[in-house]
Amino acid sequence: MTSSIVKTICPFCGVGCGICLKVDGQQKLTGVEPQASHPISRGKLCEKGWSTAYAVHPDNRITQPLKRITNKFQPISWDEALSLICDSLKVIFEEAGPEAVGVISSARATNEDNYAAQKFARAVLKTNNIDHCARICHSPTVAGLKQTLGSGAMTNSAKDIYDTDLIVVIGADPTENHSILGGHIVDAHLKGTPLIVIDPRETRLAKMADMHVQLKPGSNIALINAMLHTIIAQQWHNQSFIEQRCEGFEALASNVEKLTPESVEPITGVSAELVRKVAKAYSQTKSAMIFYGMGITQFVSGTQSVIALADLALVCGQIGRPGTGINPLRGQNNVQGACDMGCLPNVYPGYQAADAADVQHKFSQCWGGEVAEGPGLTSLGMTKATLSGDFRGLILFGEDPVVTDPDQNHVKAALKALDLLVVAELTMTETAKLADIVLPAASFAEKDGTFTNCERRVQRISQVLAPPGMAKGDWQWLRVLAEKLGSQQLSWETSEQVFDEMAALTPSYQGMSYEGLTQHHGLQWPCNRDAPQGTEVLHRDTFPIGKAKLMPVHFTAIDEPADEQFPLLLTTNRLHFHYGCGSMTRKSPLLERETPAGVLFINPVDAKALQLQRFAPIGVRSRRGYLETRAMITDDVPPGLVSMPYHFKEAPSNQLTNTAQDPLTKMPELKACAVSVFPLPPNQAPKTAQQLWEEQ
Ligand SMILES: Nc1nc2c(c(=O)[nH]1)N[C@H]1C(S)=C(S)[C@@H](COP(=O)(O)OP(=O)(O)OC[C@H]3O[C@@H](n4cnc5c(=O)[nH]c(N)nc54)[C@H](O)[C@@H]3O)O[C@H]1N2
Ligand SMILES: Nc1nc2c(c(=O)[nH]1)N[C@H]1C(S)=C(S)[C@@H](COP(=O)(O)OP(=O)(O)OC[C@H]3O[C@@H](n4cnc5c(=O)[nH]c(N)nc54)[C@H](O)[C@@H]3O)O[C@H]1N2
Ligand code: SF4
Ligand SMILES: [Mo]
């Protein structure tokens, strides 16, 4: 064998940068380099992308199926593992029906894997209990933009950053989390494009922005409504756009009539003068782009906040043209795709309603068999139903909810209460440690398929290496499991066959093929007969629902404000150098060098009141849990607010977080809960979550 360089796509964030994997004659991955001509990454990668080889290295990978025997795992064959799963599922079906089992799929895996997962749930298990991490990420975007615009995705393209007159970043930290795209924002700003950042923390972009609106956490709706009030009162709205393309303006205008910037100042903490300036800049600029993220969605008011942003863009006519739009920064490499594939309880591929009789008929015809009829549970719904005894068997791949779902103690209790927990993973995560059966999964470098990035670009990934040991691609083991359960409905031979079946059933992907994707550096959906080259800007002439719907929304306070017992408000954020549960990035010595394993950011005023020195060991407690970590003293967070990343299993911020949910989407309020912080003896190292657990 000779050495080779294979083009593929970075497996971390939703930017979808083009990477090349270098493989030597012994089939070892020897390095990573950027694709010079990739349309988004343009010959660059961030540190995570450069570190990909560590993330998928054969060391510490799971290489064969494992069976739990009390507290130990024993290696078994694939045949035995899948037979055990099959037997256990049959018992649960007989005793409790298909509502008691479900699948959680992965926004890190391919479209093909995700299409197979929802087909397995709906056609083989006959349940709509299928979900994935979008639930706790951009599910409010999917729901909010669907209602207002008819389509829940980024309306414009990354390249528009260079083709706009104003960039507004609200509740997102793109230099850390969408680093290459964040780099484009820095670049465009340095070349003269004005930048407004709306964030309670002083992020890297906030430090260089023309205006930083440092609002109080959870006050987005109050701020946006005050902007709408100002825009309408000053006649800065786009009357002709509203008349031609929107409905519901009267109700919206009367909802904000009394919401002056002065009246909401106690809620937002933002001066009325600054609100007016931002409102003027956004409405009076020819083209303005909004980028947003978890600082909008991860609240009990997540869906309403997304709707408020859509209202703002529509009223100003800042949509449907290059350099405008409302642009959710979808997080995971393939979270847009996992949603498009229908790995959500309420929709089939292409957002076709799961409860509509005609949709069920279409899929049961094409798939050759009956499909699920009843409503499905969300991921957190499955956790809840487990604790009430109504849910008993979970097949999960490519997620680590013990570290990434809110209220860790509650999640662990639920996973332990299951009759059957199957986890397919690259490495032994905290969740895999609780499984009855662990399956070895192939990483992105060891399989063919596609990822859909945040700007709806569907890109090919190519197999570079053989999977280590007995590891298999996710759709491949799902196929064998389906066959063991008596179904041939997943019996594809290649990833391309899976893609072709999916594209035929998914209107927005209908014009795509592997060949077309390879020729074009991917294609942006919708790609069909009307748009064979894909679509860079959505909603140019019309919305999928005809006219866009302006919808009045009302401010809702956060569920758990600070009080006497828990006097600080905790928010959670991300660090540039680590990703999600850390199971991939923490294998890189380069990335691991950059930050201690867990840290709490605290303002000097609060640190002084608590007599904390830099890096002092501290305890942090909420109504749900306790952890120990170190204090990082910084002005980036205002007094009263503390912040923690969620990447570190040693100091998991999800010990503390609140499960209070957005009523429509069940998004938990990951961005705000009340905590108390206290110093530990100065020479006592913080205990890890594992140590604290063992002491209990
Ligand atoms: N390095 C790295 N990159 C990642 C990830 C990672 O784990 N590590 N994860 C990926 C994933 S899954 C996702 S979803 C994306 C997420 O990317 P982002 O959306 O950028 O994620 P966060 O850092 O969680 O939160 C964004 C910002 O919201 C702000 N915020 C908090 N409360 C409020 C509020 O009330 N109003 C406003 N306006 N802002 C508020 C926070 O201060 C923070 O700066 O990143 C992706 N990229
Ligand atoms: N407190 C707090 N908690 C949060 C957030 C927050 O802002 N604050 N953000 C939330 C958000 S936005 C998200 S998206 C979630 C993310 O939560 P998760 O989805 O649980 O996080 P990841 O680290 O991406 O976990 C993915 C796992 O998939 C595995 N994997 C990668 N590729 C493959 C594959 O091809 N096949 C299989 N089988 N496995 C694979 C990796 O090894 C890794 O362990 O976290 C959420 N949790
Ligand atoms: S910005 Fe995202 S896609 Fe690009 S290299 Fe970094 S992690 Fe990978
Ligand atoms: Mo996410």
Side-chain angles (χ1 to χ4, degrees):
M1 274 190 250
T2 52
S3 60
S4 56
I5 294 185
V6 182
K7 281 186 184 173
T8 187
I9 299 301
C10 175
F12 292 108
C13 88
V15 177
C17 297
I19 60 175
C20 298
L21 296 183
K22 296 197 274 186
V23 184
D24 72 8
Q26 271 71 50
Q27 278 286 290
K28 265 182 65 190
L29 192 55
T30 54
V32 176
E33 60 185 42
Q35 282 181 33
S37 60
H38 191 269
I40 305 157
S41 44
R42 306 173 184 203
K44 290 184 181 149
L45 295 175
C46 78
E47 286 83 344
K48 295 178 290 301
W50 278 110
S51 303
T52 305
Y54 290 107
V56 299
H57 195 276
D59 284 357
N60 307 320
R61 288 283 297 275
I62 302 168
T63 54
Q64 65 190 111
L66 304 169
K67 171 171 85 167
R68 164 188 300 286
I69 299 171
T70 55
N71 282 334
K72 287 215 167 73
F73 284 107
Q74 184 189 358
I76 52 173
S77 68
W78 269 102
D79 191 56
E80 189 183 349
L82 296 177
S83 297
L84 285 170
I85 299 170
C86 194
D87 293 346
S88 181
L89 285 172
K90 280 182 182 159
V91 172
I92 301 173
F93 280 151
E94 262 169 40
E95 292 176 5
E99 291 78 32
V101 295
V103 180
I104 291 184
S105 72
S106 175
R108 307 296 300 283
T110 63
N111 283 321
E112 292 72 3
D113 296 328
N114 282 286
Y115 177 79
Q118 59 83 40
K119 184 172 179 183
F120 179 82
R122 292 182 165 123
V124 182
L125 300 181
K126 312 255 186 273
T127 176
N128 279 311
N129 294 339
I130 166 85
D131 206 4
H132 72 287
C133 72
R135 179 68 39 216
I136 54 178
C137 184
H138 269 291
S139 60
T141 291
V142 176
L145 296 188
K146 182 98 184 155
Q147 289 177 62
T148 49
L149 311 178
S151 164
M154 184 157 154
T155 60
N156 286 55
S157 298
K159 73 178 172 64
D160 289 24
I161 290 168
Y162 290 102
D163 195 13
T164 184
D165 305 310
L166 171 67
I167 298 168
V168 179
V169 176
I170 176 164
D173 192 2
T175 56
E176 315 310 300
N177 303 334
H178 294 82
S179 313
I180 292 296
L181 198 144
H184 293 176
I185 295 176
V186 172
D187 189 29
H189 178 57
L190 294 177
K191 286 176 180 151
T193 310
L195 173 66
I196 295 173
V197 173
I198 305 175
D199 199 303
R201 294 186 312 127
E202 196 175 348
T203 59
R204 220 187 313 177
L205 283 182
K207 290 188 173 79
M208 62 170 66
D210 300 281
M211 291 182 235
H212 175 203
V213 182
Q214 199 165 12
L215 79 179
K216 288 189 191 167
S219 66
N220 293 308
I221 295 177
L223 178 86
I224 299 166
N225 275 343
M227 284 174 68
L228 282 165
H229 166 94
T230 308
I231 289 165
I232 296 168
Q234 299 292 328
Q235 308 270 320
W236 289 335
H237 54 287
N238 187 331
Q239 189 68 32
S240 64
F241 185 89
I242 294 168
E243 275 167 16
Q244 284 161 30
R245 303 210 41 198
C246 306
E247 53 192 45
F249 180 68
E250 299 312 322
L252 182 77
S254 83
N255 182 50
V256 296
E257 199 180 347
K258 296 203 173 70
L259 299 177
T260 61
E262 283 78 5
S263 74
V264 300
E265 213 176 303
I267 300 174
T268 61
V270 180
S271 76
E273 191 194 346
L274 185 58
V275 176
R276 290 202 174 87
K277 273 192 186 165
V278 174
K280 184 170 187 186
Y282 180 72
S283 59
Q284 298 303 289
T285 303
K286 193 165 151 249
S287 305
M289 278 184 106
I290 293 175
F291 289 98
Y292 74 92
M294 300 296 100
I296 286 287
T297 58
Q298 287 178 335
F299 286 101
V300 291
S301 57
T303 306
Q304 299 297 89
S305 299
V306 170
I307 292 173
L309 271 186
D311 286 340
L312 180 66
L314 289 164
V315 158
C316 300
Q318 296 286 19
I319 200 159
R321 292 175 283 125
T324 66
I326 163 147
N327 298 289
L329 289 167
R330 302 304 302 262
Q332 305 260 45
N333 55 322
N334 195 36
V335 68
Q336 182 64 56
C339 291
D340 298 345
M341 294 305 107
C343 287
L344 298 166
N346 59 335
V347 287
Y348 275 80
Y351 307 95
Q352 301 173 72
D355 59 0
D358 58 332
V359 173
Q360 289 175 7
H361 180 72
K362 168 179 164 178
F363 281 89
S364 84
Q365 289 281 303
C366 298
W367 288 347
E370 282 173 21
V371 294
E373 281 175 5
L377 293 168
T378 62
S379 53
L380 302 189
M382 294 184 221
T383 320
K384 209 166 150 199
T386 307
L387 289 172
S388 62
D390 298 325
F391 186 85
R392 294 170 47 187
L394 175 62
I395 297 176
L396 175 147
F397 64 95
E399 285 202 5
D400 188 10
V402 170
V403 177
T404 59
D405 275 5
D407 194 353
Q408 184 172 61
N409 295 327
H410 169 88
V411 175
K412 273 191 172 173
L415 294 180
K416 283 184 180 171
L418 287 164
D419 293 351
L420 173 70
L421 173 63
V422 179
V423 175
E425 250 297 344
L426 312 184
T427 41
M428 240 342 174
T429 57
E430 298 306 288
T431 304
K433 286 179 191 163
L434 301 182
D436 299 295
I437 306 281
V438 178
L439 301 175
S443 78
F444 88 111
E446 299 140 11
K447 57 190 179 189
D448 281 316
T450 53
F451 291 157
T452 306
N453 83 346
C454 66
E455 45 153 35
R456 300 168 276 105
R457 184 184 298 271
V458 185
Q459 307 191 89
R460 283 275 285 119
I461 64 153
S462 302
Q463 181 169 359
V464 188
L465 301 166
M470 294 190 219
K472 276 187 203 295
D474 294 304
W475 73 253
Q476 282 91 344
W477 62 258
L478 279 164
R479 170 196 157 156
V480 189
L481 183 57
E483 287 170 355
K484 273 214 181 285
L485 287 162
S487 164
Q488 301 300 315
Q489 288 161 302
L490 271 68
S491 297
W492 308 283
E493 293 299 327
T494 63
S495 296
E496 189 165 13
Q497 284 174 4
V498 188
F499 188 89
D500 290 344
E501 175 183 314
M502 176 280 295
L505 292 166
T506 308
S508 52
Y509 282 66
Q510 219 143 44
M512 294 184 194
S513 65
Y514 273 15
E515 201 189 335
L517 298 179
T518 310
Q519 279 166 6
H520 290 91
H521 270 305
L523 289 162
Q524 289 171 275
W525 65 252
C527 173
N528 47 33
R529 209 173 297 157
D530 298 335
Q533 304 291 317
T535 309
E536 290 178 349
V537 179
L538 297 181
H539 319 311
R540 272 181 189 270
D541 306 310
T542 178
F543 293 94
I545 46 173
K547 282 192 170 186
K549 309 257 178 311
L550 293 168
M551 295 170 64
V553 293
H554 308 282
F555 165 71
T556 313
I558 55 172
D559 178 70
E560 193 187 63
D563 55 21
E564 244 170 58
Q565 197 188 355
F566 296 101
L568 292 166
L569 194 67
L570 172 82
T571 191
T572 55
N573 63 298
R574 291 162 163 77
L575 302 181
H576 175 75
F577 295 103
H578 282 299
Y579 194 92
C581 69
S583 70
M584 292 172 84
T585 44
R586 296 198 62 198
K587 285 188 189 157
S588 157
L590 186 87
L591 299 177
E592 196 59 359
R593 183 193 71 191
E594 294 295 329
T595 40
V599 72
L600 174 116
F601 297 98
I602 184 165
N603 185 275
V605 172
D606 294 321
K608 193 167 174 210
L610 292 166
Q611 297 186 325
L612 299 178
Q613 303 294 324
R614 187 167 178 267
F615 279 130
I618 47 170
V620 191
R621 193 179 294 287
S622 79
R623 286 189 173 79
R624 293 150 297 277
Y626 172 71
L627 59 79
E628 295 184 358
T629 186
R630 288 188 183 274
M632 175 76 105
I633 302 168
T634 169
D635 284 327
D636 290 353
V637 287
L641 183 68
V642 290
S643 180
M644 273 191 87
Y646 74 105
H647 312 302
F648 302 102
K649 63 182 179 197
E650 296 88 339
S653 54
N654 282 321
Q655 259 292 320
L656 308 167
T657 44
N658 189 354
T659 53
Q661 288 167 16
D662 175 22
L664 185 69
T665 62
K666 315 291 180 209
M667 158 64 87
E669 195 152 76
L670 290 166
K671 283 285 177 272
C673 74
V675 294
S676 64
V677 175
F678 47 89
L680 296 174
N683 46 10
Q684 177 183 315
K687 292 198 181 98
T688 65
Q690 182 69 28
Q691 286 168 328
L692 291 167
W693 187 256
E694 280 161 11
E695 277 177 12
Q696 268 176 18

